[in-house]
Amino acid sequence: MGSFVLQAKDIRKSYTVGDVTAEVLKGVDIAVEDGEFVAVLGESGSGKSTLLYILAGIDKPTAGSVELLGRDLASVSDEELAAMRRREVSFVYQFDNLVPHLTAYENIILPLRLDGKKEKECRDIALDVCEFLGVGERLNNLPRQLSGGEQQRVALARALATDPKVIFLDEPTGSLDRERGRQVMELLGRINREKGVALVMVTHSAAHAAYASRRVEISDGVVVK
Ligand SMILES: Nc1ncnc2c1ncn2[C@@H]1O[C@H](COP(=O)(O)OP(=O)(O)OP(=O)(O)O)[C@@H](O)[C@H]1O
Ligand SMILES: [Mg+2]
């Protein structure tokens, strides 16, 4: 048994809109070990994105505890959480990942610049990551000048540039055709195996979930298997 990058216990989340309260997560337990690749499956609306935001510290649960990289997120300050997200934890969103007015290159180095790294060091890291992922061309393009697959690879390059211990991914292949989706999944497999980065990926594709080392399915707010 390795050590855990993530341990979440009895996660609950309710949303209130007007006078209607909906309980989206009803007590989810999930743990991820060092270097694991976990796929979270479930139907549309089952609460996968909600869960991922909570696990990554982007949103807070209504109840329950999340321990991320050994820290209890309920007692971590906003600054500490921001620092974790610049250095140890990356997130790839379901839609609109990249900052629209920055080039692909500027997007990739953004977290490094925010962390105070010098231009030269940023360039070296970016070149390294881009070589690993096979992202070499079109680095001076703006996101809207890239195809969906290219944008998704740039988002992966940015997620990897900080040398994180864990990357959360929300439907990273959702907007891609089958072949581009397969290519992104191959890259994720390599990031996991060759870099040892733990991945927690939401998907509703059983084929893509097959790339993971473990699958967790949620339905009606709880883990069903
Ligand atoms: N900010 C919010 N306020 C109110 N309700 C919300 C909010 N965010 C999500 N919900 C509700 O929570 C439920 C789960 O949403 P969530 O986005 O987590 O689903 P999902 O499993 O990621 O779906 P999909 O596969 O379509 O992305 C939905 O019914 C949604 O309407
Ligand atoms: Mg979602």
Side-chain angles (χ1 to χ4, degrees):
M1 281 268 282
S3 53
F4 290 102
V5 293
L6 175 73
Q7 277 184 292
K9 295 201 179 102
D10 200 22
I11 299 300
R12 290 162 192 274
K13 181 74 178 178
S14 303
Y15 288 115
T16 304
V17 177
D19 49 12
V20 179
T21 296
E23 199 179 13
V24 177
L25 300 174
K26 303 174 183 170
V28 172
D29 291 317
I30 185 168
V32 178
E33 280 182 44
D34 247 344
E36 243 193 325
F37 182 176
V38 174
V40 178
L41 286 141
E43 287 179 0
S44 184
S46 59
K48 304 181 298 297
S49 295
T50 302
L51 177 64
L52 207 65
Y53 290 146
I54 290 171
L55 298 179
I58 294 169
D59 199 359
K60 291 193 184 339
T62 311
S65 66
V66 181
E67 199 178 299
L68 181 59
L69 300 173
R71 274 156 284 185
D72 178 0
L73 292 186
S75 54
V76 162
S77 68
D78 287 350
E79 289 91 67
E80 211 180 327
L81 193 57
M84 283 173 81
R85 297 198 50 210
R86 286 197 305 273
R87 294 174 196 152
E88 298 175 294
V89 178
S90 293
F91 200 99
V92 176
Y93 290 90
Q94 189 166 10
F95 307 109
D96 298 331
N97 256 295
L98 303 173
V99 181
H101 61 273
L102 297 181
T103 66
Y105 175 74
E106 289 163 346
N107 265 283
I108 293 169
I109 66 165
L110 183 61
L112 304 172
R113 295 296 281 178
L114 289 175
D115 205 35
K117 293 206 165 43
K118 298 276 184 291
E119 187 66 42
K120 164 89 172 68
E121 192 183 351
C122 292
R123 194 158 53 232
D124 291 346
I125 293 172
L127 288 178
D128 233 34
V129 168
C130 288
E131 190 187 22
F132 179 78
L133 293 179
V135 181
E137 292 161 43
R138 304 191 178 79
L139 285 177
N140 291 320
N141 288 28
L142 294 168
R144 65 179 151 76
Q145 300 166 326
L146 296 171
S147 75
E150 287 165 346
Q151 287 182 35
Q152 212 49 309
R153 285 203 298 278
V154 169
L156 288 183
R158 184 181 57 189
L160 202 55
T162 55
D163 194 21
K165 297 194 175 66
V166 55
I167 305 178
F168 293 92
L169 308 111
D170 194 355
E171 302 269 9
T173 56
S175 56
L176 304 181
D177 62 31
R178 184 191 290 240
E179 176 55 21
R180 294 285 187 289
R182 196 190 58 74
Q183 287 171 5
V184 166
M185 290 311 304
E186 298 282 346
L187 284 177
L188 288 176
R190 285 186 52 216
I191 288 171
N192 175 246
R193 287 190 308 273
E194 297 173 27
K195 304 264 183 200
V197 182
L199 304 179
V200 186
M201 175 186 76
V202 160
T203 182
H204 41 234
S205 157
H208 291 166
Y211 284 82
S213 46
R214 188 157 58 85
R215 281 153 290 281
V216 172
E217 191 173 333
I218 60 172
S219 176
D220 203 21
V222 293
V223 173
V224 288
K225 60 182 176 196

